[in-house]
Amino acid sequence: MNFGLKDCIKTTSKPFLIAGPCSAESEDQLVSTAKELVKLNQVNLLRAGIWKPRTRPNSFEGLGEIALPWLVTAGKESGIPTTTEVANAKHVETALRAGIDVLWIGARTTVNPFTIQEIAEALMGVNIPVMIKNPVNPDLSLWLGAFERLENVGITDLAAIHRGFSVYDHPKYRNVPNWEIPIALKEQRPNTPIICDPSHIAGKRDLLFEVAQKAMDLNFEGLMVETHRDPNEAWSDPSQQVTPAGLRTIVEKLILRTQELSNNVVEEIEEIRTEVADLDDRIFDLLMKRMKLSDLVGQLKRENNITILQQEHWNKIISKRLEKSEDYNLNKKFVRQVMDAIHQESIRHQTAVMNPDQSSKNDSKS
Ligand code: PEP
Ligand code: MN
């Protein structure tokens, strides 16, 4: 019988756990890792990369087809269903023939609609679960598009994997989480489980726990953690892999919280929420009044032929506000975002007053 991914995620207690090495290196490596993982009593899927799409050539790109039966054997010997990454139609056919239980699509593949379409067509009429990693760039539509392409060929047992997004240089993470994007995916696809891949977000094993805990706090269904018997010697991604024992420590430390509001807090939370809603009403009331002032400024600028943007004035306003972030106990980035949003809306209002033919007040886009 085929493995049902969504059903398994629904019926296992959190987190649904995917573990195994970044890359398959030998049959012994896979079998021994799987046997260690089975002792955790909590691993639901065994992962290993057979084909590794690396960003630069001359790095290890996976052993390819020869390693597939090793993964299948490790799965059989440990009793854990298997999963591997497919990046083109040939990979799909080869993995299906070998008897892999679940496929996943990597971040460098989700980014390309032609490749996703090719993979989808290779899966036409096949009953197999597929996990779709987010694209390397923070583009929700590309991620959604991959789901739609697979659904169009009849693949419905789908899950999402959040592995963070590429940036040029980040002081902490290998790939920035941009949590708002998987949250937005959840909003659009409430029935699609989301698994977090802290390994590729963090890039360093010391940071795995905090990312995994955050994913649990955001109610993600599961985790995919790269696990190697000798992480420092791994042929790919050595610094982010943990031993099976290291994985056990992380999982045992996780605090799992429930989404249900228990009776003893319901009343208190409702009371606070009412107050919050009231404050939000007042914030928007103030914003409305503030934009009426922007309209007045726009009128004056129009009558006197003055530019909308007054760079020096704006620089003063923004730097004064940013200086106060600490007093407000608000994150500087947040203060910046709020001020930028207010400024953009103010420019839109002034544009409407100054060039009534060109802009429409109802233009909600920018
Ligand atoms: C992987 O899972 O080993 C991998 C290559 O991941 P990503 O597609 O997230 O980079
Ligand atoms: Mn990896």
Side-chain angles (χ1 to χ4, degrees), residues 24-27 30 49-50 62-72 100:
E25 297 167 9
S26 69
E27 180 165 47
L30 291 183
I50 304 292
L63 291 175
E65 197 171 339
I66 188 179
L68 266 179
W70 306 341
L71 178 57
V72 175
I100 299 293

Side-chain angles (χ1 to χ4, degrees), residues 21-23 47 49 51-54 85 104-109 133-134 136 161 163-164 174-175 197 200 224 226 236-237 240:
C22 177
S23 304
R47 66 152 282 158
W51 301 280
K52 304 295 304 173
R54 307 319 286 178
E85 172 173 355
W104 94 73
I105 295 175
R108 293 167 192 77
T109 305
K133 286 198 170 195
N134 62 260
V136 278
I161 301 179
R163 51 77 81 195
R174 176 178 175 190
N175 291 294
D197 170 348
H200 289 88
M224 180 193 248
E226 286 187 338
S236 56
D237 292 347
Q240 70 193 33

Side-chain angles (χ1 to χ4, degrees), residues 170-175 179 196-199 201-214 239-240 242 250 253:
H170 192 271
K172 189 167 181 189
Y173 294 130
R174 176 178 175 190
N175 291 294
W179 295 100
C196 177
D197 170 348
S199 308
I201 291 176
K204 292 177 215 73
R205 66 181 74 90
D206 290 352
L207 297 175
L208 291 178
F209 173 75
E210 65 171 56
V211 178
Q213 182 64 56
K214 173 106 182 192
S239 46
Q240 70 193 33
V242 279
I250 291 173
K253 226 169 84 184

Side-chain angles (χ1 to χ4, degrees), residues 271-282:
E271 225 171 88
I272 299 172
R273 280 180 175 169
T274 309
E275 232 180 289
V276 168
D278 184 48
L279 278 179
D280 284 350
D281 281 346
R282 283 160 62 189

